[in-house]
C-alpha cells in the first residue's frame, strides 16, 4: 500500500499493458482484461475534484470512514467498487471518477473502513485484474453535489441498494461466499485440477478444490480463506478463457460455505492437509510406507502444472513435444490421396504433413499441429466408415512425418501442407474451434457468393456423387447454408470433394460438419 495521503493519482505513472481476455495460461502475473492505464493527471487537474465532491477535511491521513481507491480501470462500475467494501460492513455512498481512475467509498463507520484498509495493506486489491490502491481519504464524509448526485446516477443507486440487501441477508447461501462454483464451457482442451489451481492461485491462496462432471459439463468448487479473495477471483476470472477462444470460466458463489475434502487426488485436493489418503488403497499403502504426504502425482521430472498443460496440448519450455502424428489404417487404396486426408483431418486441426505408406497403401501418417488436435481427430474419425471401409485412427509411434530426400522417388505419396492457405485454425482465437462436430449427414456450407443459387449448389454436390435430401440457406446470412445428404459416409466423401470447391471466380466453398439437421 502507498503512504501518500493526497487524494490524487500522482506517483502511479507506470503505464500498464493491454491484454485480451483470451488464454489465461499464457499470461504471467495477474490476469487482466483491463485497458491501458492512463498517465496520471497533474495536480492542477486533481484540484478540480473539489468542484465535483464537497468534502469536510480534518486530520489528513487519519482514519476516516471514506476510502480512497486509486488506479481503477476506466470501465469499472460503481457495483464493482461497492463490492470491494461489502465484506467489511455497510457501504453508505460511492463515487467513481472514471476520467481520473479514482473512486471514493464511504463506509457506515470508521471501524469498517479501518478493517478494510488494514486488510488491503497485507494483500493487493484487484479490479478486473488490475492492482488498485486502497487507503484512507483525507475526507471525513462524502457529499456529492447536484452534478454528481447518486440520485442522478441509477447505477450507483442500484449498487448501494444491492449492497444493503446483502448486508441484510441472514442466510448468505448463494451470496458472497468463500466457495466459488466454476463451470467450464467450450471445453475443447482438457482442464485439470492443477490447471485450475494455477489460475485461481493468481488471485489469492486456494485452500481446497473439488472437481466433478454434472450434466456433461466439467465443474469445480474452489474455496478461498475469505470472502474478499473469493470476490476478487469471481470478478477477475468470470467470463475469461483458459485457452485461446475456449474453456470459458463461468463463476458463481456456491451455496456451500466449506468444502469437505476426503481424498487428495486428481479429482479433489485439500491444500491445508497434505496427509489425506488418495482413495487408491495400493497408492495409500505405498505412501504410508514411504511416510510421504500426497502432493499430486506428477510425471517424473514434470511439475503438476506442466503435466496438466502437456495433457492440454500446450508445450512448455524444456518439455518434450507430445506426439502429433496419427496412424490411419484400413483406408480404401483406390480412393485415398494426401489431399483427401488433408481435407478430412483438417476439420479437426491444421494438418502439417501426410504420408501414404509406399508398401502398404491402405495406411497413412497424418501430422497435426498440436497434440490436442490428434485427440480430436481420434475421437471423431476412428472407426468411421469412409469410402466403403471402416478406418482406424490411432497415435503413431513416429514423432514427425519425414519428407522424402531430394531425388528420392515418392510417387506423390508424401505432401507438406505447413504453408497451406486452407488451415482452419491458424488464426488465434478462431471461432472454428467452437464449431467442431463429429461427422454427420448434414454439412455446413459457407462463403457462398450471392450469384450462386440453391440449384447450382445441389447440382455440384450431385455431380460429386452425393444424394441431396434437403437444402436450406441461413435466413439472416445467405452466404451460409445447410445441405443434408443420404448418409454420414456420403457426407464425409462430399466434404472431401467439395471443401474449397470453386463456386465463382473469387469464391471457394467452405464445408464442415454440422450439429443441426434440416
Amino acid at each position: 500500500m502507498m503512504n501518500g495521503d493526497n487524494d490524487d493519482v500522482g506517483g502511479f505513472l507506470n503505464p500498464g499493458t493491454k491484454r485480451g481476455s483470451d488464454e489465461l495460461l499464457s499470461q504471467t502475473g495477474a490476469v487482466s482484461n483491463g485497458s491501458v492505464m492512463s498517465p496520471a493527471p497533474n495536480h492542477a487537474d486533481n484540484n478540480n475534484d473539489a468542484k465535483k465532491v464537497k468534502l469536510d477535511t480534518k486530520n489528513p491521513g487519519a482514519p476516516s470512514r471514506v476510502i480512497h481507491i486509486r488506479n481503477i480501470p476506466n470501465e469499472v462500475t460503481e457495483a464493482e467498487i461497492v463490492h470491494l467494501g461489502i465484506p467489511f460492513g455497510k457501504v453508505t455512498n460511492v463515487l467513481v471518477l472514471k476520467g481520473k481512475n479514482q473512486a471514493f467509498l464511504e463506509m457506515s463507520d470508521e471501524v469498517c473502513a479501518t478493517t478494510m484498509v488494514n486488510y488491503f495493506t497485507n494483500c493487493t486489491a484487484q479490479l478486473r485484474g488490475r492492482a488498485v490502491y486502497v487507503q484512507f481519504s483525507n475526507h471525513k464524509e462524502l457529499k456529492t453535489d447536484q452534478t454528481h448526485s447518486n440520485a442522478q446516477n441509477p447505477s450507483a443507486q442500484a449498487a448501494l441498494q444491492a449492497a444493503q440487501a446483502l448486508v441484510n441477508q441472514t442466510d448468505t447461501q448463494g451470496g458472497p461466499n468463500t466457495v466459488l462454483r466454476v463451470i467450464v464451457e467450450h471445453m475443447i482442451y482438457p482442464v485439470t485440477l492443477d490447471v485450475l489451481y494455477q489460475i485461481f492461485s493468481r488471485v489469492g491462496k486456494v485452500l481446497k478444490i473439488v472437481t466433478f462432471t454434472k450434466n456433461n459439463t466439467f465443474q469445480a468448487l474452489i474455496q478461498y480463506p475469505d470472502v474478499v479473495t473469493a470476490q476478487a477471483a469471481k470478478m477477475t476470472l468470470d467470463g475469461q478463457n483458459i485457452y485461446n477462444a475456449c474453456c470459458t470460466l463461468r463463476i458463481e458463489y456456491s451455496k456451500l460455505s466449506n468444502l469437505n475434502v476426503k481424498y487428495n487426488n486428481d479429482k479433489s485436493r485439500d491444500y491445508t492437509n497434505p496427509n489425506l489418503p488418495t482413495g487408491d488403497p495400493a497408492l495409500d499403502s505405498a505412501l504410508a510406507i514411504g511416510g510421504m504426504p500426497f502432493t499430486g502425482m506428477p510425471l517424473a521430472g514434470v511439475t503438476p502444472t506442466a503435466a496438466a498443460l502437456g495433457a492440454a496440448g500446450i508445450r512448455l519450455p524444456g518439455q518434450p513435444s507430445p506426439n502429433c502424428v496419427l496412424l490411419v489404417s484400413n483406408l480404401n487404396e483406390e480412393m485415398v490421396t494426401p489431399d483427401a486426408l488433408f481435407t478430412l483431418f483438417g476439420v479437426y486441426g491444421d494438418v502439417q504433413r501426410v504420408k501414404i505408406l509406399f508398401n502398404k497403401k491402405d495406411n497413412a501418417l497424418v501430422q497435426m499441429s498440436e497434440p490436442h488436435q490428434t485427440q480430436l481427430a481420434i475421437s471423431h474419425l476412428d472407426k468411421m466408415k469412409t469410402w466403403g471401409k471402416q478406418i482406424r485412427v490411432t497415435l503413431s509411434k513416429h514423432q514427425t512425418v519425414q519428407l522424402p530426400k531430394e531425388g528420392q522417388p515418392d510417387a506423390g505419396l508424401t505432401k507438406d501442407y505447413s504453408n497451406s492457405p486452407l488451415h482452419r485454425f491458424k488464426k488465434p482465437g478462431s471461432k472454428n474451434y467452437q464449431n467442431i462436430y463429429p461427422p454427420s449427414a448434414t454439412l455446413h456450407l459457407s462463403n457462398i457468393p450471392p450469384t450462386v443459387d440453391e440449384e447450382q449448389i445441389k447440382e455440384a454436390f450431385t455431380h460429386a456423387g452425393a444424394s441431396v435430401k434437403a437444402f436450406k440457406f441461413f435466413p439472416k446470412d445467405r452466404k451460409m447454408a445447410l445441405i443434408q445428404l443420404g448418409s454420414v459416409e456420403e457426407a464425409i466423401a462430399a466434404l472431401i470433394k467439395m471443401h474449397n470447391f470453386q463456386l465463382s471466380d473469387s469464391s471457394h466453398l467452405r464445408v464442415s460438419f454440422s450439429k443441426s439437421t434440416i
Side-chain angles (χ1 to χ4, degrees):
M1 182 175 123
M2 307 303 292
N3 294 320
D5 292 320
N6 295 325
D7 290 351
D8 60 46
V9 290
F12 297 96
L13 297 175
N14 301 323
T17 304
K18 185 169 182 177
R19 281 206 184 108
S21 65
D22 279 336
E23 294 187 281
L24 292 179
L25 287 182
S26 70
Q27 301 172 11
T28 55
V31 181
S32 172
N33 63 355
S35 58
V36 179
M37 285 169 58
S38 307
N42 60 34
H43 282 270
D45 286 339
N46 284 313
N47 290 336
N48 290 333
D49 284 2
K51 297 174 186 175
K52 296 181 179 178
V53 193
K54 296 175 183 174
L55 302 136
D56 302 326
T57 307
K58 298 176 187 173
N59 300 330
S64 162
R65 67 191 183 99
V66 180
I67 307 285
H68 183 215
I69 303 166
R70 303 193 279 185
N71 193 41
I72 66 172
N74 292 331
E75 64 274 24
V76 152
T77 64
E78 284 86 354
E80 288 170 280
I81 299 295
V82 168
H83 225 62
L84 278 181
I86 287 173
F88 304 101
K90 183 179 178 182
V91 178
T92 52
N93 210 346
V94 62
L95 179 70
V96 177
L97 304 177
K98 292 188 178 180
K100 300 186 181 303
N101 299 96
Q102 302 182 46
F104 295 90
L105 193 65
E106 183 185 84
M107 305 298 287
S108 58
D109 55 55
E110 282 187 12
V111 174
C112 299
T114 303
T115 306
M116 180 174 173
V117 170
N118 288 345
Y119 180 84
F120 288 122
T121 303
N122 299 316
C123 75
T124 305
Q126 286 194 342
L127 287 170
R128 301 200 178 202
R130 181 193 286 190
V132 297
Y133 305 98
V134 177
Q135 60 193 77
F136 291 117
S137 168
N138 291 345
H139 312 294
K140 294 296 178 186
E141 190 175 357
L142 189 58
K143 292 180 182 175
T144 51
D145 63 16
Q146 287 186 348
T147 312
H148 293 84
S149 166
N150 282 333
Q152 312 283 326
N153 186 339
S155 58
Q157 267 191 320
L160 291 168
Q161 286 170 5
Q164 186 59 45
L166 283 172
V167 171
N168 291 340
Q169 277 184 185
T170 52
D171 177 9
T172 62
Q173 288 197 342
N177 193 357
T178 57
V179 180
L180 298 175
R181 178 167 172 251
V182 180
I183 299 169
V184 183
E185 297 177 348
H186 302 306
M187 200 170 86
I188 292 170
Y189 306 152
V191 174
T192 65
L193 183 146
D194 288 314
V195 165
L196 291 174
Y197 179 76
Q198 182 194 5
I199 291 166
F200 281 81
S201 292
R202 289 182 181 176
V203 181
K205 184 178 181 181
V206 173
L207 301 184
K208 302 170 185 177
I209 301 180
V210 175
T211 66
F212 56 96
T213 300
K214 185 177 181 181
N215 300 328
N216 293 322
T217 306
F218 180 77
Q219 302 187 28
L221 296 170
I222 298 176
Q223 184 172 346
Y224 282 106
D226 52 66
V227 174
V228 175
T229 313
Q231 285 179 326
K234 183 177 184 296
M235 283 189 177
T236 305
L237 299 173
D238 186 29
Q240 296 272 10
N241 298 320
I242 300 177
Y243 301 117
N244 203 1
C246 65
C247 300
T248 306
L249 297 172
R250 299 292 175 211
I251 303 173
E252 57 194 44
Y253 293 112
S254 168
K255 292 182 180 179
L256 299 170
S257 56
N258 182 54
L259 295 181
N260 181 21
V261 177
K262 295 180 180 178
Y263 303 113
N264 280 342
N265 53 33
D266 61 349
K267 296 284 189 291
S268 62
R269 199 80 53 86
D270 183 343
Y271 297 94
T272 66
N273 185 3
N275 296 310
L276 286 177
T278 67
D280 180 334
L283 187 55
D284 286 333
S285 60
L287 290 171
I289 293 168
M292 292 289 290
F294 178 83
T295 56
M297 300 303 292
L299 304 176
V302 184
T303 64
T305 298
L309 295 179
I314 307 298
R315 285 198 290 277
L316 301 177
Q319 296 297 330
S321 172
N323 198 347
C324 293
V325 180
L326 295 164
L327 172 63
V328 188
S329 54
N330 201 37
L331 288 159
N332 184 325
E333 292 182 35
E334 304 300 319
M335 301 293 292
V336 67
T337 64
D339 284 351
L341 293 177
F342 166 77
T343 301
L344 177 57
F345 281 79
V347 172
Y348 301 105
D350 291 339
V351 176
Q352 299 299 303
R353 294 176 180 176
V354 176
K355 183 185 192 76
I356 296 171
L357 303 190
F358 185 78
N359 296 322
K360 208 170 187 306
K361 291 189 174 62
D362 63 346
N363 281 251
L365 297 175
V366 177
Q367 183 176 330
M368 311 295 282
S369 296
E370 295 286 350
H372 73 90
Q373 296 175 354
T374 63
Q375 296 301 326
L376 283 171
I378 290 171
S379 64
H380 290 314
L381 294 177
D382 184 40
K383 297 179 184 170
M384 195 59 63
K385 198 170 183 183
T386 309
W387 301 305
K389 300 185 77 172
Q390 191 181 63
I391 65 171
R392 293 306 313 271
V393 184
T394 58
L395 275 178
S396 166
K397 63 183 179 182
H398 297 283
Q399 293 291 315
T400 59
V401 170
Q402 297 294 329
L403 294 175
K405 292 175 183 173
E406 205 170 328
Q408 183 178 330
D410 180 66
L413 297 177
T414 306
K415 283 190 77 169
D416 184 280
Y417 295 95
S418 53
N419 295 316
S420 172
L422 296 180
H423 287 158
R424 296 175 187 252
F425 308 101
K426 59 186 176 183
K427 289 182 184 175
S430 169
K431 286 186 178 177
N432 290 343
Y433 271 121
Q434 295 173 25
N435 293 298
I436 292 176
Y437 304 109
S440 63
T442 306
L443 297 174
H444 178 277
L445 313 180
S446 59
N447 207 36
I448 301 169
T451 53
V452 174
D453 62 22
E454 176 179 335
E455 289 307 315
Q456 288 171 283
I457 295 172
K458 285 161 71 172
E459 186 182 336
F461 273 83
T462 303
H463 187 70
S467 54
V468 179
K469 300 297 182 187
F471 181 92
K472 184 176 75 173
F473 276 113
F474 277 55
K476 294 182 181 178
D477 188 354
R478 208 182 162 283
K479 291 180 182 175
M480 296 193 291
L482 296 177
I483 188 166
Q484 193 168 322
L485 305 181
S487 67
V488 174
E489 186 181 356
E490 268 190 36
I492 290 172
L495 180 140
I496 290 169
K497 280 192 179 182
M498 297 301 294
H499 182 61
N500 204 43
F501 179 81
Q502 188 165 354
L503 288 171
S504 69
D505 291 342
S506 58
S507 296
H508 288 74
L509 189 64
R510 297 283 174 264
V511 185
S512 55
F513 297 114
S514 172
K515 66 174 178 180
S516 307
T517 55
I518 302 173

